[in-house]
């Protein structure tokens, strides 16, 4: 059986991440757990039930992201296998992409499951790891897109779009590191709700805004994989019984016939 429509996996990732925050945001506003005007730049998703909703959706999204990354890894691996001229560096870069992508998906789940106010250190470390490995995965994938372009695309537009997104993500990530570090060292970054009169608000605002921009760019990059995944079909695996099991079944049938 041949299955298509694999583009649904990157599409789901791009849809579920905004939905996770939107639903949690609406619930938090309805229950009065946060103020509308500062919700997007506050550590708001720490109360139940909105934090539970957010965690469940992001956990599922992380699983879908793992599938997406693995499919992309296998697609490039097949191209490399069928075209040995790609060289060993493509295989190594593809493996690095897989590793960074898997770490990104796992650390994203950690962010969702460890509330900011309770285990701040774990959450902030997971945030750093998520962005570092995601940017690393972007560069690996972007370079692979250029190298395998003649095998997949007739146009150079898509690889260049990915290159621009990778550069933007790098620039925004540096801004995030600077503002977030200042917020952690100089101000109480564990504050649950930030307002414009809070000390260090501009640094917190800058780090939060850069987080949103970086996340948006990452999702846009993932959405470009929809084009590649439309060119892939997967054959459902066949399950074979081992010889021992078959022999046992035959003996069992013979015993009944006797």
């Amino acid at each position: 059986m041949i299955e298509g429509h694999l583009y649904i996996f990157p599409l789901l990732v791009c849809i579920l991440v905004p939905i996770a925050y939107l639903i949690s945001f609406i619930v938090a506003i309805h229950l009065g757990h946060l103020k509308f005007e500062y919700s997007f730049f506050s550590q708001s998703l720490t109360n139940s039930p909105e934090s539970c909703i957010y965690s469940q959706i992001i956990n599922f999204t992380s699983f879908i992201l793992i599938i997406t990354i693995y499919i992309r890894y296998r697609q490039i691996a097949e191209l490399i296998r069928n075209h040995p001229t790609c060289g060993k560096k493509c295989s190594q870069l593809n493996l690095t992409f897989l590793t960074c992508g898997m770490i990104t998906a796992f650390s994203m789940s950690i962010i969702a499951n460890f509330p900011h106010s309770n285990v701040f250190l774990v959450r902030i470390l997971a945030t750093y790891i998520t962005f570092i490995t995601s940017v690393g995965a972007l560069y690996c994938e972007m370079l692979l897109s250029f190298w395998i372009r003649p095998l997949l695309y007739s146009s150079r537009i898509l690889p260049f779009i990915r290159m621009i997104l990778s550069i933007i993500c790098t620039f925004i990530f540096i801004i995030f590191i600077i503002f977030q570090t200042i917020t952690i060292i100089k101000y109480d970054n564990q504050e649950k709700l930030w307002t414009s009169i809070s000390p260090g608000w501009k640094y917190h605002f800058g780090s939060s805004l850069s987080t949103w921009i970086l996340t948006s760019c990452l999702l846009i990059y993932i959405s470009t994989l929809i084009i590649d995944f439309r060119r892939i079909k997967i054959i459902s695996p066949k399950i074979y019984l081992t010889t021992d099991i078959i022999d046992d079944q035959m003996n069992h049938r013979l015993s009944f016939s006797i």
Side-chain angles (χ1 to χ4, degrees):
M1 180 179 179
I2 299 178
E3 299 290 345
H5 309 294
L6 296 178
Y7 62 87
I8 193 68
F9 292 109
L11 181 62
L12 276 175
V13 173
C14 297
I15 292 175
L16 288 175
V17 172
I19 285 179
Y21 187 85
L22 182 62
I23 294 177
S24 303
F25 165 72
I26 293 173
V27 173
I29 288 291
H30 177 71
L31 297 177
H33 291 167
L34 57 87
K35 296 181 179 180
F36 179 83
E37 60 269 30
Y38 297 118
S39 59
F40 281 91
F41 306 107
S42 65
Q43 311 297 339
S44 55
L45 305 178
T46 56
N47 295 319
S48 297
E50 59 266 24
S51 63
C52 302
I53 297 172
Y54 182 78
S55 298
Q56 288 297 315
I57 298 177
I58 293 299
N59 286 338
F60 180 69
T61 306
S62 298
F63 175 69
I64 299 298
L65 180 59
I66 288 174
I67 296 176
T68 302
I69 292 166
Y70 182 72
I71 292 174
R72 180 60 170 172
Y73 164 77
R74 287 302 304 270
Q75 180 194 22
I76 296 176
E78 285 298 313
L79 288 171
I80 294 172
R81 186 174 66 86
N82 295 329
H83 300 82
T85 54
C86 291
K88 188 177 180 180
K89 63 180 181 180
C90 289
S91 298
Q92 294 174 342
L93 199 61
N94 194 29
L95 183 60
T96 304
F97 161 73
L98 176 67
T99 304
C100 290
M102 293 298 179
I103 294 174
T104 298
F106 178 71
S107 56
M108 187 172 74
S109 178
I110 293 178
I111 294 173
N113 288 278
F114 286 80
H116 178 89
S117 58
N118 298 338
V119 277
F120 169 74
L121 181 60
V122 175
R123 187 184 179 96
I124 194 62
L125 285 176
T127 302
Y128 280 122
I129 292 172
T130 299
F131 287 145
I132 291 172
T133 54
S134 60
V135 171
L138 255 59
Y139 273 98
C140 292
E141 211 286 328
M142 180 264 294
L143 290 174
L144 288 168
S145 295
F146 274 104
W147 291 344
I148 66 175
R149 184 196 61 80
L151 306 177
L152 288 178
Y153 324 109
S154 58
S155 173
R156 297 177 180 268
I157 295 177
L158 189 58
F160 271 106
I161 291 175
R162 289 172 177 169
M163 181 183 68
I164 293 171
L165 287 171
S166 299
I167 294 173
I168 293 174
C169 285
T170 304
F171 178 70
I172 298 299
F173 176 67
I174 293 173
I175 294 176
F176 166 76
I177 289 291
I178 294 173
F179 283 132
Q180 187 65 37
T181 302
I182 294 174
T183 308
I184 292 173
I185 295 176
K186 195 173 180 180
Y187 302 98
D188 182 17
N189 193 58
Q190 299 189 51
E191 185 173 344
K192 189 175 181 180
L193 182 62
W194 287 79
T195 65
S196 57
I197 60 174
S198 300
W201 161 254
K202 61 181 180 180
Y203 297 108
H204 174 75
F205 180 87
S207 62
S208 299
L209 183 60
S210 60
T211 300
W212 280 101
I213 296 174
L214 182 55
T215 302
S216 300
C217 289
L218 291 172
L219 292 177
I220 293 172
Y221 195 106
I222 293 173
S223 69
T224 65
L225 295 178
I226 295 174
I227 300 173
D228 297 83
F229 280 31
R230 284 183 176 274
R231 302 168 179 260
I232 308 174
K233 289 186 178 180
I234 187 170
I235 301 176
S236 299
K238 293 183 179 181
I239 306 299
Y240 296 95
L241 296 176
T242 63
T243 305
D244 293 338
I245 295 177
I246 295 175
D247 291 340
D248 289 341
Q249 289 181 345
M250 292 297 295
N251 293 333
H252 185 67
R253 291 175 183 175
L254 287 173
S255 63
F256 269 103
S257 62
I258 295 174

